Amino acid sequence: MAWFNSHLLTNVVFSPLLWAGLGFLIPVSKQYEAGFLKFWTLVGTIITFIFSVVLYIQFDPNVFEFQFIEFVPWIAELGISYHFGIDGISLWLILLTTFLSPIVILSSFSAIGHRLREYYFLLLVLESAMLGAFVSLDLFLFYVFWEVMLVPMYFLIGIWGGKERIYAALKFFLFTVVGSLLMLVAIFYLAYLHKIQFGVYSASILDLYRVRTLANGIFSPQALLFLAFALAFAVKVPMFPLHTWLPDAHVQAPTAGSVILAGVLLKMGGYGFIRFAFPLFPEAVRIFQVAFLILGTTAVLYGAWVSMVQPDIKKLVAYSSVSHMGFVIIGLFSLNSISVTGSIYQMLNHGISTGGLFLLVGILYERRHTREIKDFGGITRVMPLFSVAFMITALSSIALPGTNGFIGEFLILLGTWKEHPMLAGVSALCVIFGAIYMLWAFQRMMFGPIKNKENETLKDLNFREIVVIVPIIICIFFMGIFPNFFFNKMNASVQKFLSQAGESSTIVYRSIPPQEVKRARQ
């Protein structure tokens, strides 16, 4: 037990990977293989969720520093280490990941019918990679997990996706890789700067926070380093105009892929800004603050407007993600405690609400094999439980008071109003637009006459599907009514983040004389 507690993050991160390896290697006769793989993978994700709950219980909300630190030198010559730790921000993203994973596995029981061993193996590997990225305090280690995430998602889309799955998978992969390669260059440059200024290489963010770089314009070293990181994170968010891979990936991905993509992978972008870009380059944030606020507002408007004209319900939900994540960017770059807390909460909200919408769209697609809104109508008559679940999740997505979405958007708009009233006013209009596109789609699909004979025989939610969707609905109301349950664990971390990102313009990079460089190398 002592070893378990002292290596709790390692257990959380690598238990899905260990479970995946064992499940892939255990021989099972074809007669029982499908049932065994489903049960085995579900149990593995539940165990990981239990580990994360232990993490939550032992987490001290009053500590400003990282907790559950694990440190082992890895490539000592380059200052690269196995360095794990979490704060109140990464804690909730870990819980979001481990909470959604069993739901995703359970939702796949009837949706996936071929190459099951590979499918469930990839889902577990993906979970480990996502968890590793959330706990890494070494930039190189973070980059490894960041890139590993791409591989299972690429195959999930490319093998089990729709008709255009290869195109969508390749587009997703190329967008993300190109952005992250510049981040890799910036990581090595930061490690080199640490060598110059402190005599040793280091990739630990706790060390790199102390590295000083010149920030006297948009072409200064700090500004360029910030842009290298920001590009990788902006692609993942995704920010306008780097969002074009997202609708294709969502539409072509299997339901599990869409839920993980919307629920967790998009949060990697917001988390990257919080953990790395802002604290490492505070002056550059000030330089580009207005530009990112405008881009975030543009994403909010653009995503809402484009959602209104989508004939495909899954693509509508995909474009709504662009709008919702635009709110996250606005809140982060407003740089006050209210807006930042709202942005973090909105990331959690989006994972629950949009993940739930993709689950429900997947359930409907399994029955009708179409996602065209015009092919539906009168669904409430034959699927009342489904309709109620869809209504609750849609209302959460449009930020109805009493649901989780309201808390996040309200805090973001309130915090932004304090700093940039005009941008807050423009963004607030999108709450109206969100209600228009989501409720209009709901009305066309759920009410009116039954247009097709196929819809007359649709079956309502079965027991397994109820088990899948009920936890989502519980979270929607719990997060909307008891937000302090979540804020209490993250408040200290938000204050520390603001103190790092709000440093004054006293950071100056001094050139190192050649003799000092020579002495440092020796």
Side-chain angles (χ1 to χ4, degrees):
M1 183 59 68
W3 183 91
F4 176 84
N5 287 329
S6 61
H7 297 84
L8 188 52
L9 289 182
T10 295
N11 290 315
V12 170
V13 171
F14 291 107
S15 60
L17 186 62
L18 175 63
W19 210 256
L22 292 174
F24 192 79
L25 294 175
I26 294 176
V28 181
S29 64
K30 288 191 175 182
Q31 181 181 358
Y32 303 105
E33 183 179 39
F36 166 78
L37 290 172
K38 294 173 183 178
F39 176 78
W40 179 268
T41 311
L42 180 62
V43 170
T45 54
I46 292 174
I47 290 174
T48 306
F49 177 66
I50 293 172
F51 287 169
S52 68
V53 172
V54 174
L55 200 68
Y56 168 83
I57 294 171
Q58 296 186 11
F59 185 86
D60 187 348
N62 299 314
V63 175
F64 284 81
E65 303 302 323
F66 290 102
Q67 302 180 44
F68 306 100
I69 295 291
E70 298 182 34
F71 180 88
V72 178
W74 183 14
I75 309 175
E77 296 80 2
L78 298 178
I80 297 171
S81 58
Y82 178 86
H83 193 185
F84 281 176
I86 65 168
D87 63 0
I89 299 170
S90 49
L91 170 69
W92 286 115
L93 293 170
I94 290 169
L95 284 164
L96 175 67
T97 305
T98 59
F99 172 76
L100 287 177
S101 293
I103 293 174
V104 163
I105 298 301
L106 195 59
S107 71
S108 300
F109 280 10
S110 61
I112 304 299
H114 67 289
R115 304 185 73 168
L116 296 180
R117 192 174 290 266
E118 294 88 344
Y119 176 79
Y120 290 113
F121 174 82
L122 289 171
L123 282 177
L124 289 173
V125 172
L126 179 59
E127 183 182 10
S128 269
M130 294 186 297
L131 292 170
F134 286 134
V135 305
S136 295
L137 298 184
D138 182 280
L139 264 175
F140 183 80
L141 186 62
F142 168 78
Y143 180 80
V144 170
F145 283 116
W146 178 276
E147 294 294 88
V148 169
M149 286 187 296
L150 304 183
V151 179
M153 182 56 72
Y154 172 81
F155 286 112
L156 286 170
I157 298 173
I159 297 176
W160 293 276
K163 294 180 180 179
E164 302 294 329
R165 58 185 180 274
I166 302 300
Y167 167 78
L170 189 60
K171 190 174 182 180
F172 158 76
F173 190 86
L174 290 178
F175 262 76
T176 310
V177 165
V178 170
S180 58
L181 285 176
L182 290 176
M183 180 174 67
L184 179 62
V185 174
I187 290 171
F188 282 120
Y189 185 70
L190 281 173
Y192 172 73
L193 287 181
H194 191 275
K195 169 72 172 179
I196 291 177
Q197 296 178 25
F198 299 99
V200 293
Y201 290 108
S202 178
S204 169
I205 60 171
L206 301 182
D207 292 333
L208 295 178
Y209 285 161
R210 301 180 298 155
V211 170
R212 299 177 181 273
T213 53
L214 184 65
N216 59 353
I218 61 174
F219 297 109
S220 62
Q222 188 176 132
L224 295 176
L225 288 168
F226 170 78
L227 289 176
F229 277 81
L231 177 63
F233 302 144
V235 169
K236 191 73 84 175
V237 167
M239 279 182 59
F240 177 89
L242 303 173
H243 67 283
T244 57
W245 63 269
L246 181 68
D248 294 316
H250 269 313
V251 170
Q252 299 302 322
T255 298
S258 294
V259 175
I260 292 296
L261 192 59
V264 183
L265 284 185
L266 301 191
K267 312 307 172 293
M268 292 293 172
Y271 176 78
F273 277 112
I274 295 170
R275 178 66 69 240
F276 305 111
F278 278 72
L280 287 171
F281 317 110
E283 291 301 302
V285 172
R286 300 290 189 215
I287 294 172
F288 297 105
Q289 184 178 21
V290 174
F292 275 83
L293 283 169
I294 292 173
L295 287 174
T297 306
T298 304
V300 170
L301 287 167
Y302 174 84
W305 287 343
V306 176
S307 295
M308 290 183 188
V309 297
Q310 294 305 313
D312 185 314
I313 184 61
K314 198 173 186 182
K315 187 168 281 190
L316 182 150
V317 177
Y319 274 109
S320 75
S321 292
V322 177
S323 184
H324 290 149
M325 294 305 291
F327 275 108
V328 172
I329 295 299
I330 294 170
L332 290 179
F333 279 87
S334 293
L335 279 177
N336 63 64
S337 59
I338 297 174
S339 66
V340 170
T341 301
S343 287
I344 298 168
Y345 206 60
Q346 183 66 4
M347 288 197 286
L348 303 178
N349 293 336
H350 180 264
I352 296 296
S353 302
T354 306
L357 285 173
F358 279 121
L359 285 169
L360 291 165
V361 170
I363 289 171
L364 197 58
Y365 181 77
E366 284 183 43
R367 288 159 168 74
R368 282 285 282 111
H369 302 289
T370 179
R371 293 184 296 263
E372 295 291 320
I373 296 175
K374 64 180 177 61
D375 292 334
F376 298 102
I379 299 298
T380 52
R381 301 182 185 182
V382 292
M383 301 179 69
L385 292 177
F386 174 88
S387 301
V388 170
F390 199 102
M391 179 188 68
I392 293 172
T393 314
L395 292 176
S396 166
S397 180
I398 65 175
L400 181 77
T403 65
N404 56 345
F406 174 76
I407 303 297
E409 290 190 11
F410 177 76
L411 291 178
I412 290 171
L413 292 173
L414 180 62
T416 305
W417 180 266
K418 294 176 63 177
E419 308 293 334
H420 308 279
M422 184 176 295
L423 290 177
V426 173
S427 301
L429 290 175
C430 293
V431 176
I432 300 173
F433 296 140
I436 292 173
Y437 68 72
M438 190 60 71
L439 295 180
W440 188 32
F442 181 80
Q443 181 266 329
R444 286 180 288 166
M445 294 176 64
M446 303 299 164
F447 300 115
I450 297 178
K451 297 179 181 180
N452 299 300
K453 292 183 178 180
E454 294 90 337
N455 294 339
E456 295 177 354
T457 58
L458 291 177
K459 294 182 179 180
D460 207 354
L461 298 178
N462 57 38
F463 177 75
R464 177 184 59 82
E465 291 165 341
I466 292 174
V467 172
V468 165
I469 206 64
V470 163
I472 298 288
I473 294 175
I474 292 174
C475 281
I476 285 172
F477 289 115
F478 185 82
M479 294 177 71
I481 299 172
F482 304 105
N484 281 333
F485 177 83
F486 300 85
F487 295 158
N488 290 338
K489 292 282 190 180
M490 70 172 72
N491 282 336
S493 299
V494 169
Q495 295 306 316
K496 181 183 178 182
F497 163 75
L498 289 171
S499 68
Q500 292 173 318
E503 292 180 12
S504 63
S505 57
T506 57
I507 297 180
V508 178
Y509 170 69
R510 64 183 183 91
S511 60
I512 307 297
Q515 60 270 23
E516 290 190 28
V517 175
K518 183 177 180 180
R519 187 160 51 249
R521 287 175 178 171
Q522 290 174 347

mmCIF file of all heavy atoms in Angstrom, residues 491-507:
data_model
loop_
_atom_site.group_PDB
_atom_site.id
_atom_site.type_symbol
_atom_site.label_atom_id
_atom_site.label_comp_id
_atom_site.label_asym_id
_atom_site.label_seq_id
_atom_site.Cartn_x
_atom_site.Cartn_y
_atom_site.Cartn_z
ATOM 1 N N ASN A 491 -9.090 26.277 -6.788
ATOM 2 C CA ASN A 491 -8.881 27.694 -6.514
ATOM 3 C C ASN A 491 -7.411 28.050 -6.298
ATOM 4 O O ASN A 491 -6.908 29.048 -6.830
ATOM 5 C CB ASN A 491 -9.701 28.123 -5.294
ATOM 6 C CG ASN A 491 -11.166 28.318 -5.635
ATOM 7 O OD1 ASN A 491 -11.516 28.574 -6.777
ATOM 8 N ND2 ASN A 491 -12.032 28.188 -4.642
ATOM 9 N N ALA A 492 -6.718 27.255 -5.493
ATOM 10 C CA ALA A 492 -5.310 27.547 -5.210
ATOM 11 C C ALA A 492 -4.477 27.487 -6.483
ATOM 12 O O ALA A 492 -3.589 28.323 -6.709
ATOM 13 C CB ALA A 492 -4.770 26.566 -4.168
ATOM 14 N N SER A 493 -4.757 26.514 -7.334
ATOM 15 C CA SER A 493 -3.999 26.365 -8.576
ATOM 16 C C SER A 493 -4.284 27.514 -9.538
ATOM 17 O O SER A 493 -3.388 27.967 -10.262
ATOM 18 C CB SER A 493 -4.336 25.029 -9.250
ATOM 19 O OG SER A 493 -3.996 23.952 -8.399
ATOM 20 N N VAL A 494 -5.526 27.992 -9.558
ATOM 21 C CA VAL A 494 -5.859 29.145 -10.415
ATOM 22 C C VAL A 494 -5.108 30.384 -9.953
ATOM 23 O O VAL A 494 -4.568 31.137 -10.777
ATOM 24 C CB VAL A 494 -7.387 29.394 -10.405
ATOM 25 C CG1 VAL A 494 -7.715 30.731 -11.071
ATOM 26 C CG2 VAL A 494 -8.111 28.264 -11.117
ATOM 27 N N GLN A 495 -5.044 30.601 -8.641
ATOM 28 C CA GLN A 495 -4.317 31.753 -8.132
ATOM 29 C C GLN A 495 -2.827 31.666 -8.455
ATOM 30 O O GLN A 495 -2.195 32.674 -8.817
ATOM 31 C CB GLN A 495 -4.523 31.874 -6.621
ATOM 32 C CG GLN A 495 -5.956 32.170 -6.210
ATOM 33 C CD GLN A 495 -6.519 33.399 -6.912
ATOM 34 O OE1 GLN A 495 -5.863 34.431 -7.025
ATOM 35 N NE2 GLN A 495 -7.755 33.285 -7.392
ATOM 36 N N LYS A 496 -2.262 30.486 -8.349
ATOM 37 C CA LYS A 496 -0.846 30.328 -8.700
ATOM 38 C C LYS A 496 -0.643 30.576 -10.190
ATOM 39 O O LYS A 496 0.334 31.228 -10.595
ATOM 40 C CB LYS A 496 -0.372 28.923 -8.328
ATOM 41 C CG LYS A 496 1.101 28.705 -8.643
ATOM 42 C CD LYS A 496 1.554 27.296 -8.337
ATOM 43 C CE LYS A 496 3.011 27.115 -8.724
ATOM 44 N NZ LYS A 496 3.486 25.729 -8.484
ATOM 45 N N PHE A 497 -1.539 30.074 -11.009
ATOM 46 C CA PHE A 497 -1.441 30.292 -12.458
ATOM 47 C C PHE A 497 -1.470 31.782 -12.779
ATOM 48 O O PHE A 497 -0.668 32.277 -13.580
ATOM 49 C CB PHE A 497 -2.586 29.568 -13.168
ATOM 50 C CG PHE A 497 -2.833 30.041 -14.570
ATOM 51 C CD1 PHE A 497 -1.980 29.677 -15.595
ATOM 52 C CD2 PHE A 497 -3.919 30.851 -14.867
ATOM 53 C CE1 PHE A 497 -2.200 30.114 -16.900
ATOM 54 C CE2 PHE A 497 -4.149 31.293 -16.148
ATOM 55 C CZ PHE A 497 -3.287 30.924 -17.167
ATOM 56 N N LEU A 498 -2.366 32.522 -12.159
ATOM 57 C CA LEU A 498 -2.466 33.950 -12.432
ATOM 58 C C LEU A 498 -1.225 34.702 -11.960
ATOM 59 O O LEU A 498 -0.790 35.663 -12.600
ATOM 60 C CB LEU A 498 -3.717 34.519 -11.749
ATOM 61 C CG LEU A 498 -5.042 34.104 -12.383
ATOM 62 C CD1 LEU A 498 -6.211 34.528 -11.504
ATOM 63 C CD2 LEU A 498 -5.191 34.708 -13.769
ATOM 64 N N SER A 499 -0.638 34.251 -10.857
ATOM 65 C CA SER A 499 0.585 34.900 -10.389
ATOM 66 C C SER A 499 1.733 34.661 -11.351
ATOM 67 O O SER A 499 2.599 35.520 -11.532
ATOM 68 C CB SER A 499 0.952 34.386 -8.997
ATOM 69 O OG SER A 499 1.355 33.032 -9.043
ATOM 70 N N GLN A 500 1.750 33.482 -12.005
ATOM 71 C CA GLN A 500 2.792 33.194 -12.980
ATOM 72 C C GLN A 500 2.551 33.933 -14.286
ATOM 73 O O GLN A 500 3.470 34.507 -14.878
ATOM 74 C CB GLN A 500 2.852 31.688 -13.253
ATOM 75 C CG GLN A 500 3.338 30.856 -12.090
ATOM 76 C CD GLN A 500 3.219 29.364 -12.378
ATOM 77 O OE1 GLN A 500 2.222 28.902 -12.930
ATOM 78 N NE2 GLN A 500 4.244 28.619 -11.997
ATOM 79 N N ALA A 501 1.312 33.914 -14.748
ATOM 80 C CA ALA A 501 0.994 34.528 -16.039
ATOM 81 C C ALA A 501 0.910 36.036 -15.958
ATOM 82 O O ALA A 501 0.981 36.716 -16.984
ATOM 83 C CB ALA A 501 -0.333 33.975 -16.570
ATOM 84 N N GLY A 502 0.788 36.587 -14.756
ATOM 85 C CA GLY A 502 0.616 38.030 -14.611
ATOM 86 C C GLY A 502 1.855 38.744 -14.135
ATOM 87 O O GLY A 502 1.748 39.820 -13.556
ATOM 88 N N GLU A 503 3.019 38.145 -14.335
ATOM 89 C CA GLU A 503 4.256 38.786 -13.909
ATOM 90 C C GLU A 503 4.455 40.105 -14.641
ATOM 91 O O GLU A 503 4.061 40.265 -15.796
ATOM 92 C CB GLU A 503 5.459 37.874 -14.176
ATOM 93 C CG GLU A 503 5.472 36.639 -13.298
ATOM 94 C CD GLU A 503 6.669 35.764 -13.586
ATOM 95 O OE1 GLU A 503 7.586 36.240 -14.288
ATOM 96 O OE2 GLU A 503 6.678 34.615 -13.120
ATOM 97 N N SER A 504 5.082 41.047 -13.976
ATOM 98 C CA SER A 504 5.332 42.354 -14.581
ATOM 99 C C SER A 504 6.419 42.261 -15.628
ATOM 100 O O SER A 504 7.095 41.245 -15.766
ATOM 101 C CB SER A 504 5.756 43.357 -13.503
ATOM 102 O OG SER A 504 6.972 42.933 -12.908
ATOM 103 N N SER A 505 6.597 43.345 -16.360
ATOM 104 C CA SER A 505 7.518 43.333 -17.492
ATOM 105 C C SER A 505 8.954 43.561 -17.059
ATOM 106 O O SER A 505 9.689 44.342 -17.652
ATOM 107 C CB SER A 505 7.110 44.409 -18.503
ATOM 108 O OG SER A 505 7.085 45.662 -17.859
ATOM 109 N N THR A 506 9.370 42.873 -15.992
ATOM 110 C CA THR A 506 10.747 43.000 -15.531
ATOM 111 C C THR A 506 11.618 41.862 -16.028
ATOM 112 O O THR A 506 12.797 41.808 -15.727
ATOM 113 C CB THR A 506 10.789 43.001 -13.991
ATOM 114 O OG1 THR A 506 10.179 41.796 -13.511
ATOM 115 C CG2 THR A 506 10.038 44.195 -13.435
ATOM 116 N N ILE A 507 11.031 40.946 -16.788
ATOM 117 C CA ILE A 507 11.801 39.798 -17.254
ATOM 118 C C ILE A 507 12.655 40.228 -18.436
ATOM 119 O O ILE A 507 12.145 40.613 -19.469
ATOM 120 C CB ILE A 507 10.877 38.641 -17.654
ATOM 121 C CG1 ILE A 507 10.107 38.171 -16.432
ATOM 122 C CG2 ILE A 507 11.657 37.509 -18.258
ATOM 123 C CD1 ILE A 507 9.159 37.046 -16.708
#
